[in-house]
Structure formats: structure tokens, C-alpha cells
Amino acid sequence: MVRTEEWRRLSTAVLLILAVALAYYVGGRVGLHQSVVVNGAEVTPLWPPTGIALAALLWLGLRTWPGIALGTYLAIERIGDFNLSGLGIVAGNTLAPVCAYLMLRRVGFRSEVDRLRDALALVFLGGLLPTLISATVGTWTLVLSGDLPLDRFWPVWSAWWAGDAMGVLVVTPLLLVLRRIRRPGEGGYRVPEASALVLTSVVVTVVATRSPLSLLFLVFPVIIWAAVRFQLAGTAPCILLVSVLAISAASDRTGPFDGQGLLAIMINLQALNGAAALTGLLLSAMVTEQNNVRLKIEQVCEDLAELVEHLARGRPER
């Protein structure tokens, strides 16, 4: 009986690791469709596997880290021959989300992202800081193996870091939301409003990223709408939509990206994606936190009113 239980636990752990590896690999295949070559190295403006890896760790714990390593290996092997430099990339891409997970757990991060501190932790401790590890280890591995000249280190490093960071800021919140998504409530108007938000997001983002005029700022009112009315459940899909459509326009070099060099395109693209993610995540967390405080105050008031009514009924008449 004991051996059977141990075998079940082992089988479950192996299946979870394989599932994480498969999700990482599929995310890598999706990310490579938008890859660009920066000074001879293939990088992506948005690397979804980093966000998938962090979400898996937040859901399942450190036991799934071998799945991240295996998924990284499969993604690299798909690009080209796996060699010594591949081992360094696997180590960096595995260590970064693991460090992000440990730091988030250290500060008491909640996956609901219903506090401003949670949004700040996800942005900085989950995204911007730990991805320095994967970018630095990966780029130095390419340099030391002779696959990348030293004078091209910083352009490749910055593109690598930005792609990994955006993977966390865009993909991780969406996955955290999908785990607890439910149909909009609070009256029948919520469903039409959600539909209007989706339609408006698509139209506005297409216009902003495809128009020859500088209209990228138009995406922010839509993100604010999503954050104020639907919090993270509305913000996370909007951020993903803006990022994907902006990357598509940048790849086609159309709209505000027309006539720009690769470096200028990458800077403008990542500035837009980063600003959209920061705005949406922080604002949605602030609104959620305020709503929770209001609900708690209302509950306290109701409890106090019931207590006063109870005391009034029990008071003897004169």
C-alpha cells in the first residue's frame, strides 16, 4: 500500500514535469514566430515560456523546475544543434524563474494580485530583476562559446532581457487569471460591457499600431477601462492583445514603426509593451485593493448595525 502511494506520487510528479515542459516548448514555438535577429543572435520581443515557467512554479511549486529545464532544452534543440552553449542557456532560463518564485514567496506574493504590493512584486521581483539572470547567463554563454562577438554583447543582452521580462509581465498575469476566471456577474450589463471592451481593444490597438500617425498612446485609455471595470481579469487579456498586435506591426514595419531601424523599433516596441503592462497591472491591483477595503468596511458596518439592533431589542423598557 505504501509503495503504491509512493508510485502514485512519483507518477503525478513526472506528469506535472512533462506538462510544464510541453507548455514551455509550445510557448517557445509561439514566441519564435515573432523572433528577430539582433547582431547574429535570434531573440524575441516577447518570450512566453518565461511567463509560463513562473506561473507553473506559483501553481505547483519548485518540484516542477525540471520541466522548465527540459522545455528549454527542447526549445533550443528545435532552433539548432544543442551544444555547450545550450547548457548555459538552459541553466539561465531555469534559474531565472526559480529565483523569481523564491523572491515572490519571500515577500508574501498572492497570485490573485489583489494588492498594490503584489503587482509591484510581480513587476520587479518576478519580471525585471530575475530575468537579468537569464539574459546575462545566456548572452555570456554565447560570447564564451564563440557564437557571439564581445562587441555585440549589449544589444543582444538588452533584447534578451526585454523579451524575458515581457514574457512575465504579459503571460504570467493572464495564466493566473485563467485559473480562476468566471463569467462576468453583477447584472446583465457586465457581459455587453466585456464584449464592448474586447471589440474596442482590437479596433483601437489595430489603429494605433497600423496608422502612419503616432497614435500609440490610444491604447492606454482602453487599458485603464479594463483595469477600472474588470481589474486583472480584463487587464491581462488587454495587455496580451496590445503586445501581440504591436509586435505584429513592428515585424511588418508598418504604422509608427515604418522607416525605423531595428534598434529604434525594438526600443519603441518594448517601451509601449512595458508601459502598457505596468499601467494595467498596477492600476488593476490598486482598484482591487480599494474594492476589497470598501467591502470590508461595508461588512463591518453591517455587523455593527446588527449588534446595535440586537442590543436595542434586549434593552428593558422604562
Side-chain angles (χ1 to χ4, degrees):
M1 187 66 178
V2 175
R3 290 184 178 179
T4 302
E5 190 65 27
E6 291 179 353
W7 173 252
R8 288 179 179 176
R9 286 199 297 266
L10 179 60
S11 301
T12 301
V14 171
L15 289 176
L16 289 176
I17 289 173
L18 293 178
V20 171
L22 178 61
Y24 193 104
Y25 172 74
V26 172
R29 294 291 296 163
V30 173
L32 289 174
H33 281 295
Q34 301 291 342
S35 63
V36 295
V37 178
V38 178
N39 290 328
E42 189 173 12
V43 295
T44 63
L46 173 64
W47 184 241
T50 310
I52 294 173
L54 180 55
L57 289 171
L58 291 173
W59 287 343
L60 306 172
L62 283 176
R63 58 178 175 170
T64 57
W65 74 263
I68 301 173
L70 178 59
T72 305
Y73 163 76
L74 294 175
I76 295 174
E77 194 273 337
R78 183 68 180 181
I79 298 174
D81 295 333
F82 189 84
N83 49 32
L84 183 61
S85 62
L87 291 176
I89 295 174
V90 169
N93 283 20
T94 303
L95 187 60
V98 168
C99 289
Y101 167 79
L102 293 176
M103 288 190 292
L104 289 176
R105 284 294 176 238
R106 180 70 176 176
V107 299
F109 173 79
R110 294 202 307 225
S111 59
E112 294 82 5
V113 196
D114 54 358
R115 302 173 299 178
L116 180 59
R117 59 178 291 186
D118 295 324
L120 290 172
L122 181 61
V123 169
F124 291 99
L125 301 182
L128 299 181
L129 291 180
T131 51
L132 295 172
I133 299 174
S134 55
T136 302
V137 172
T139 309
W140 269 117
T141 299
L142 294 177
V143 171
L144 295 177
S145 64
D147 295 331
L148 181 71
L150 183 59
D151 59 348
R152 299 178 182 177
F153 176 88
W154 288 112
V156 173
W157 178 90
S158 59
W160 195 318
W161 171 71
D164 281 0
M166 289 309 304
V168 172
L169 298 183
V170 173
V171 177
T172 299
L174 181 64
L175 294 178
L176 294 179
V177 165
L178 289 178
R179 191 181 186 186
R180 53 188 177 85
I181 196 69
R182 62 178 182 272
R183 191 171 180 268
E186 300 181 14
Y189 67 91
R190 296 286 282 177
V191 173
E193 184 181 3
S195 303
L197 175 61
V198 172
L199 180 60
T200 304
S201 300
V202 173
V203 173
V204 170
T205 305
V206 169
V207 171
T209 57
R210 296 283 175 173
S211 172
L213 303 176
S214 298
L215 300 176
L216 293 177
F217 62 89
L218 290 179
V219 303
F220 291 98
V222 177
I223 293 175
I224 294 172
W225 176 12
V228 171
R229 296 295 297 148
F230 297 95
Q231 289 77 63
L232 190 63
T235 303
C238 280
I239 293 174
L240 178 63
L241 178 65
V242 169
S243 298
V244 170
L245 292 179
I247 292 173
S248 177
S251 300
D252 296 338
R253 301 203 176 195
T254 186
F257 304 103
D258 184 28
Q260 297 182 3
L262 180 59
L263 179 60
I265 289 176
M266 291 293 291
I267 292 175
N268 291 331
L269 176 62
Q270 299 298 18
L272 172 65
N273 290 341
L278 285 172
T279 301
L281 291 177
L282 297 184
L283 183 57
S284 65
M286 291 176 62
V287 173
T288 302
E289 188 171 25
Q290 291 179 354
N291 289 341
N292 290 339
V293 170
R294 176 178 57 82
L295 292 175
K296 289 180 181 179
I297 293 175
E298 291 177 353
Q299 183 62 47
V300 170
C301 291
E302 290 177 2
D303 294 342
L304 182 59
E306 291 178 1
L307 177 60
V308 171
E309 183 180 357
H310 176 74
L311 293 176
R313 286 198 303 264
R315 180 181 301 175
E317 296 182 359
R318 293 183 180 179

